[in-house]
Amino acid sequence: MLGSVKSRGADALALALKHAGVKRIFTLSGNHIMSVFDALLDTGIELVHTRHEAAAVHMADAWARLTDEPGIALVTGGPGHANAVSALYTAQMAESPVILVSGHAPNAELGRGAFQEMPQAEMARTVTKAAWTCRGSEAVASDLVRALRLARSGRCGPISLNLPSNALEGAADLDHLPRLDALQAGQRFDRSLAGAVLDCLARAERPLILVGPSLMSRSAGERLAALERACAVPALGMDSPRGMADPRLGAFAEVLAEADCVLLVGKKLDFTVRFGRAPTFLSDCEFLQIDPEQAEIDKSIAALGPRLTFAAVADTFSSVETLISEAHAGTITRSWMSEVKAAVAHRPPEWKGVRSTAPGRVHPLDLVRPLQGVLDSHADAVFISDGGEIGQWAQACLHAPQRLTNGPAGAIGAGLPFALGARFAQPDAPIVATMGDGTFGFHMAEFDTAVTHRLPFVAVVGNDAKWNAEYQIQVREFGANRARGCEMRPLRYDEVASAMGAHGELVTHAEEMLPAVQRALASELPACINVMIESVAAPHISR
């Protein structure tokens, strides 16, 4: 089919994907997209067949974050699309370039009761940068190229492209397909403006640079570290739904409250920083902002008024490069840099002696302690954290060259699909995913996907038979005697994984953790270590 002059829209889509360098697509089959499956057979693009459409999007999200390439998810229309849409929110808040390609009812039948007809673009529009429905077969390839460009321009984010079955099955000219040339450059940050920003930072006594999720990948993180060195100003990324209380950042909230000048680079002035209000910040703290979207700057103007003394619309990555090249280091006192670093690194010394007081249960600290050695064993190791309270313990204690979390979305459930997407991105490095028992239930069937595709990783499940994050809210807000509806059964998740052909282990005592992790790694299979844990609240770190 691909060699003919006139062929299907599905063939044009497949060829455009190949030309764009797409290596694999995360998918779940369905009526509307079977022509795409057929067309992809001749391209060499790998189809990773998942057990749920949302899992396909999460896998594409993990791939995008770890490779800096767009992640492609392909699902059928109607309910398949609806299943996938919820996962787009996590990608959107993480500023991840994901393309959701969905089948769709034929254009000519819309409004007449077509099979699985629904307003798909409208459904996805609020959780994407853009969402639209293709007009016909000759537009399929150009729509894909447009989606790929949009996903990676400005503030990166997901795109929803809906392809009606008539567009996929209708005739398309393969001789004049659009190509994905170099990505259109965003608005560059003027060098003269960079000088003004750097002068403001230099005049401050306690300046900070805060960046958003798009600057927290490994490659972007290296540039962030270079910016910190060049400016001699502490530079930190924020990507947690717990904001300043992110346990990864230790006691950062204490020094944030002392800062007298804060530069936001691609970092939204949102709930994670309490919209710039006191006492999170000093009431007279000066703010500077560089953002790819005027809408975000407008929000900051409304929230901060005259405290926002500088704002510019510019591409985040090029802005960092410009600031590095124009920086004049050495103007900030070393004591402030040391104070910020010490606050972020702080962990309560009493944690070293903490052990569970509940029989047959492991404290979350004992769950995570053996995992750091695994993450330290390889330069490309990936740490994935998912879940409520257990996720916060893991993020407080574990670090790795590459890290994936649910991001500012705060939506749990992506951990297992993230691990599979990460394995494709890093075929040789250890991948460790920590998660709660609630989170495990969202996509446990993806252990079948992992076994089918031979994707080894280690999932460590903190099992307290409880939706503990919500339980802690109940106790805090309403009292322990009114804590109801968050109970679960202490299920054998290790046996669930084993039944699908994976490696499973049950841990009930701290000294069993390290041997269980070692056996899981040695199995070279997808592995589930089901750890019965003491139900404790997430850490709140202060000095």
Side-chain angles (χ1 to χ4, degrees), residues 211-518:
V211 305
S214 65
L215 284 172
M216 295 183 66
S217 67
R218 177 163 60 174
S219 58
E222 292 169 355
R223 303 314 298 149
L224 182 61
L227 177 63
E228 180 178 88
R229 291 191 300 270
C231 299
V233 174
L236 297 97
M238 297 186 68
D239 68 346
S240 169
R242 305 207 178 199
M244 305 83 56
D246 178 359
R248 178 184 65 88
L249 297 177
F252 173 62
E254 297 176 9
V255 291
L256 184 64
E258 299 175 10
D260 58 358
C261 180
V262 175
L263 168 62
L264 306 174
V265 184
K267 172 73 186 86
K268 298 178 180 180
L269 190 80
D270 57 10
F271 74 98
T272 63
V273 288
R274 305 283 174 86
F275 309 100
R277 295 192 294 250
T280 301
F281 296 89
L282 294 172
S283 59
D284 60 351
C285 179
E286 178 183 9
F287 283 84
L288 320 169
Q289 186 172 23
I290 305 169
D291 199 272
E293 298 176 344
Q294 181 64 49
E296 288 303 324
I297 290 175
D298 291 342
K299 292 175 188 177
S300 298
I301 292 171
L304 298 171
R307 294 167 62 204
L308 184 67
T309 61
F310 176 92
V313 175
D315 173 71
T316 301
F317 298 97
S318 66
S319 297
V320 168
E321 293 302 323
T322 301
L323 288 169
I324 290 172
S325 67
E326 296 294 310
H328 36 273
T331 57
I332 308 304
T333 60
R334 289 186 176 273
S335 60
W336 172 243
M337 180 72 80
S338 298
E339 185 178 349
V340 174
K341 296 290 187 184
V344 172
H346 178 75
R347 300 294 183 271
E350 58 268 24
W351 282 9
K352 294 180 180 179
V354 169
R355 294 293 183 272
S356 174
T357 58
R361 297 277 172 160
V362 174
H363 192 279
L365 285 169
D366 279 325
L367 178 150
V368 300
R369 282 185 179 113
L371 303 179
Q372 188 59 57
V374 178
L375 298 172
D376 288 339
S377 68
H378 197 288
D380 295 321
V382 181
F383 163 50
I384 297 165
S385 177
D386 191 12
E389 307 302 90
I390 188 63
Q392 305 312 304
W393 285 104
Q395 291 180 55
C397 299
L398 298 175
H399 57 86
Q402 301 183 95
R403 169 180 167 274
L404 294 173
T405 74
N406 53 5
I412 66 172
L416 284 175
F418 274 3
L420 275 65
R423 175 52 72 207
F424 282 108
Q426 292 292 343
D428 301 316
I431 294 172
V432 176
T434 60
M435 61 191 67
D437 46 348
T439 253
F440 186 86
F442 278 70
H443 290 296
M444 68 173 74
E446 298 310 326
F447 261 103
D448 176 54
T449 305
V451 171
T452 299
H453 290 275
R454 297 179 175 85
L455 305 172
F457 64 92
V458 179
V460 182
V461 182
N463 186 348
D464 61 356
K466 192 173 293 176
W467 296 98
N468 194 26
E470 290 68 32
Y471 171 78
Q472 296 297 334
I473 293 173
Q474 290 179 325
V475 171
R476 212 165 44 241
E477 301 292 331
F478 316 120
N481 63 327
R482 299 188 66 80
R484 297 289 188 278
C486 294
E487 305 85 3
M488 294 193 297
R489 292 190 295 141
L491 298 180
R492 291 294 301 273
Y493 300 110
D494 53 308
E495 293 185 346
V496 171
S498 295
M500 296 187 196
H503 178 87
E505 297 251 359
L506 175 67
V507 169
T508 57
H509 295 86
E511 61 270 19
E512 298 169 353
M513 268 301 302
L514 180 57
V517 171
Q518 292 171 335

